[in-house]
Amino acid sequence: MSHLLKDKTALVLGLANRWSLAYAIARAFRREGANLILTYQGERQKDTVEELAKELGASRVLSCDVTQEADLHHLNEILRAEGDQLHAVVHSIAFANKEDLARPFYETSREGFLLAQEVSCYSLVAVARAVAPVMTNGGSIMTLSYLGSQRVMTNYNVMGVAKAALEASVRYLASELGPNNIRVNAISAGPVKTASARGIKDFSKILDVVTANAPLRRPTDPEEVADTAVFLASHLGRGITGNVVYVDSGYQIMGL
Ligand code: IMJ
């Protein structure tokens, strides 16, 4: 069996529970021999993530709220103190007020708009700044996106705008970190039933439409997203940066 991430250390941010895409990615990274560092946000998540970390065989679990500059500074210091370099970083973080995903986009408040941008987009920039100095031998930073960044998807609203900014941030970061051999990409996943999708109106209908019309005629499996993350983190992905890779059964190409 190949171990695509042997001797590599990966930091995974945004693992909340077993349904998280970050969980599937961490599992696949571990399968490929990576040393894992996980972060959680807030005391409420601590126990869950520590338990999953044990199960995954992660070497470290750190508290990190990406909206707090002090937390990112602390993350940077811990990574420096570890001594070993970092090779891969997975940013799987997004948030918008629930009301902003249910009412017309033009009713989004200034506060709600800025919150979605801060948590879902600016956090990638802040994380990149915190981790780049420890990626001394080059590396791969990746984030998760969704087609709602490019097309109007019902109720995605303020998140669509945040994902558009996130994908643009990927390109600017890739341009600036490329000379240090740090690659930056996004994986645009098809709809998956995660905690972030639960409670979203008509989510099963959206899944049915994708399944009926996507070239592969099936929904996106978290493990397909995770294997693409392995590829991007590994030597195999060495020529790819600034890209948005669709892992969506091909749905994105369809005009319907
Ligand atoms: C989210 C909203 C509307 C439509 C949606 C989604 N579709 C999909 C999602 C079709 C697939 C899930 N997604 C891609 C997201 O990025 C979700 C982000 C999100 C979800 C919540 C729910 C709970 C909450 N805030 C949130 N913030 C961001 O309070």
Side-chain angles (χ1 to χ4, degrees):
M1 236 343 250
S2 61
H3 267 45
L4 290 169
L5 303 179
K6 184 168 124 14
D7 300 327
K8 291 196 198 260
T9 296
L11 172 70
V12 179
L13 305 104
L15 194 161
N17 54 52
R18 251 173 241 290
W19 294 273
S20 301
L21 290 176
Y23 174 75
I25 292 169
R27 230 165 69 134
F29 276 18
R30 194 70 192 132
R31 179 193 77 211
E32 297 298 335
N35 171 39
L36 283 182
I37 304 171
L38 307 180
T39 70
Y40 62 89
Q41 187 225 344
E43 286 306 298
R44 247 186 56 220
Q45 300 268 49
K46 188 172 193 230
D47 292 350
T48 319
V49 176
E50 277 182 345
E51 188 174 322
L52 293 173
K54 211 180 284 169
E55 187 188 305
L56 287 163
S59 63
R60 280 205 82 142
V61 184
L62 307 168
S63 167
C64 183
D65 178 339
V66 291
T67 67
Q68 301 302 314
E69 212 49 52
D71 281 24
L72 290 163
H73 183 76
H74 183 64
L75 177 69
N76 172 274
E77 290 199 318
I78 287 181
L79 292 171
R80 278 175 198 273
E82 287 282 281
D84 51 73
Q85 52 197 8
L86 190 62
H87 304 92
V89 175
V90 177
H91 171 278
S92 187
I93 295 171
F95 189 79
N97 287 326
K98 206 169 167 51
E99 315 85 74
D100 290 336
L101 301 172
R103 62 183 176 203
F105 173 63
Y106 76 86
E107 288 179 14
T108 306
S109 67
R110 186 181 305 270
E111 197 190 352
F113 187 97
L114 294 175
L115 174 70
Q117 287 286 340
E118 174 170 35
V119 179
S120 316
C121 173
Y122 183 74
S123 62
L124 177 70
V125 183
V127 166
R129 200 166 52 244
V131 300
V134 270
M135 297 180 108
T136 47
N137 213 357
S140 175
I141 299 175
M142 66 197 85
T143 185
L144 274 300
S145 194
Y146 179 59
L147 183 59
S149 66
Q150 306 298 310
R151 316 261 180 87
V152 173
M153 306 298 263
T154 307
N155 292 326
Y156 202 56
N157 303 357
V158 73
M159 271 311 304
V161 175
K163 291 298 196 190
L166 178 71
E167 291 176 14
S169 301
V170 162
R171 293 186 281 273
Y172 280 92
L173 292 169
S175 155
E176 291 178 356
L177 298 176
N180 300 331
N181 200 29
I182 298 171
R183 296 179 291 109
V184 187
N185 293 287
I187 297 175
S188 186
V192 176
K193 256 191 193 155
T194 67
S196 278
R198 213 169 302 137
I200 280 144
K201 210 168 143 269
D202 296 330
F203 192 78
S204 347
K205 262 197 223 152
I206 292 163
L207 272 181
D208 290 345
V209 169
V210 168
T211 308
N213 297 291
L216 298 179
R217 299 288 192 272
R218 54 179 163 81
T220 300
D221 181 340
E223 299 204 352
E224 298 170 346
V225 175
D227 286 343
T228 298
V230 167
F231 162 68
L232 287 175
S234 78
H235 181 71
L236 299 179
R238 66 193 177 282
I240 301 177
T241 194
N243 225 317
V244 179
V245 183
Y246 283 85
V247 182
D248 67 341
S249 299
Y251 184 75
Q252 177 259 153
I253 66 166
M254 301 304 293
L256 301 183

